[in-house]
Amino acid sequence: MNPKNLEQLLRDVAAGNISCEAAAQSISGCGHDGLHLDPGRFERTRVGEVVYGQGKTLEQIAASLDALGRHHPVLATRIAEGQGRELLSIFPHGCLWEEARLFSLGADLLTPDPRAPESDVLIVTAGSSDLPVAREALGTARFLDLSAHLVSDVGVAGLHRLERHLDTLRQARVVIAVAGMEGALPSVLGGLVKAPIIAVPTSTGYGANFAGLTPLLAMLNSCAPGVGVVNIDNGFGAAVLAKKILGQNG
């Protein structure tokens, strides 16, 4: 915990706004139900700890958001259906994006980039079935204060659809390409634009897609240079990597 946050925490204890027990938990990073949090991660990496919601109870997610949100904006990903509305009732000033399965305290995930489509980060999907992963990337990018824009349904099954977006793609500083099926879109983009490509394989596809393994291997074997690959369905990881590439760690 940095000195500024520690001073504010002590002031809250002195004013009776927070109990000594809660303050001790916050300092130690140990929250409710034995949750061990890392409130100092933002100071070290400029990307604070994010709450991975999948498999967690509503109470666990809320406790983590409450503890981490005292120090800096906080994001929860992979929120289960129904949990988002419950979180919004607990934190009425939070921001919920149900389609992206994201919930945030202290950051707006929904307002479009005023610079779009001339954004620093352009997120493209092969098909509309890849949109949940792409929205996770877009919402995370907004949470990280990146200038980001989304273009959907420009995959190789109808490659002519990509042509009208080429000028925008060539202005982007980072391109996040989200694709399932055979995962060909990042290779196509790698031969067309100068920006680094962050490829995100998705589990979209029939049986031989192997829940995303086929596009993952295809992207790793891309013949186009300048393509990096994150894990299957990991839109969050792609957005964080884009922030690191752009060096926006101020």
Side-chain angles (χ1 to χ4, degrees):
M1 182 177 294
N2 66 31
K4 182 178 179 181
N5 287 337
L6 179 59
E7 180 181 352
Q8 183 58 53
L9 183 63
L10 294 174
R11 290 182 184 277
D12 287 339
V13 172
N17 297 328
I18 185 173
S19 68
C20 292
E21 180 184 13
Q25 289 176 341
S26 182
I27 293 171
S28 68
C30 181
H32 303 286
D33 299 325
L35 292 175
H36 290 273
L37 305 175
D38 185 5
R41 188 177 303 181
F42 181 81
E43 281 69 34
R44 297 194 311 273
T45 69
R46 310 314 295 171
V47 177
E49 183 172 7
V50 171
V51 181
Y52 180 69
Q54 189 165 320
K56 290 186 174 71
T57 66
L58 175 67
E59 291 73 19
Q60 288 172 324
I61 297 170
S64 297
L65 288 171
D66 181 54
L68 291 168
R70 299 171 190 165
H71 307 286
H72 49 71
V74 60
L75 178 70
T77 68
R78 297 297 178 91
I79 299 300
E81 185 176 356
Q83 284 184 334
R85 292 291 171 182
E86 294 288 341
L87 287 170
L88 203 55
S89 68
I90 299 170
F91 305 103
H93 298 296
C95 181
L96 169 65
W97 191 357
E98 288 186 292
E99 294 83 358
R101 300 177 61 187
L102 298 174
F103 186 87
S104 174
L105 294 179
D108 180 8
L109 309 178
L110 299 173
T111 301
D113 178 11
R115 288 183 50 192
E118 291 81 21
S119 302
D120 288 333
V121 180
L122 187 61
I123 302 162
V124 296
T125 77
S128 54
S129 296
D130 302 310
L131 275 172
V133 176
R135 286 173 177 142
E136 181 181 79
L138 180 60
T140 302
R142 289 171 176 168
F143 174 78
L144 296 172
D145 293 323
L146 295 176
S147 169
H149 179 58
L150 173 63
V151 171
S152 177
D153 209 17
V154 291
V156 298
L159 201 53
H160 59 284
R161 297 172 297 191
L162 187 64
E163 185 176 4
R164 67 189 181 95
H165 300 289
L166 283 178
D167 287 344
T168 300
L169 280 160
R170 286 169 175 157
Q171 292 179 46
R173 296 174 63 195
V174 176
V175 174
I176 297 175
V178 185
M181 298 292 187
E182 83 284 28
L185 181 60
S187 291
V188 173
L189 292 171
L192 293 174
V193 304
K194 64 182 179 180
I197 309 292
I198 302 173
V200 187
T202 74
S203 50
T204 300
Y206 292 101
N209 170 271
F210 295 114
L213 181 60
T214 294
L216 171 64
L217 294 176
M219 292 170 180
L220 288 170
N221 283 284
S222 173
C223 63
V227 175
V229 188
V230 297
N231 210 341
I232 298 167
D233 292 337
N234 192 7
F236 163 77
V240 173
L241 180 56
K243 180 178 177 67
K244 298 281 188 174
I245 290 172
L246 292 171
Q248 296 190 17
N249 300 321

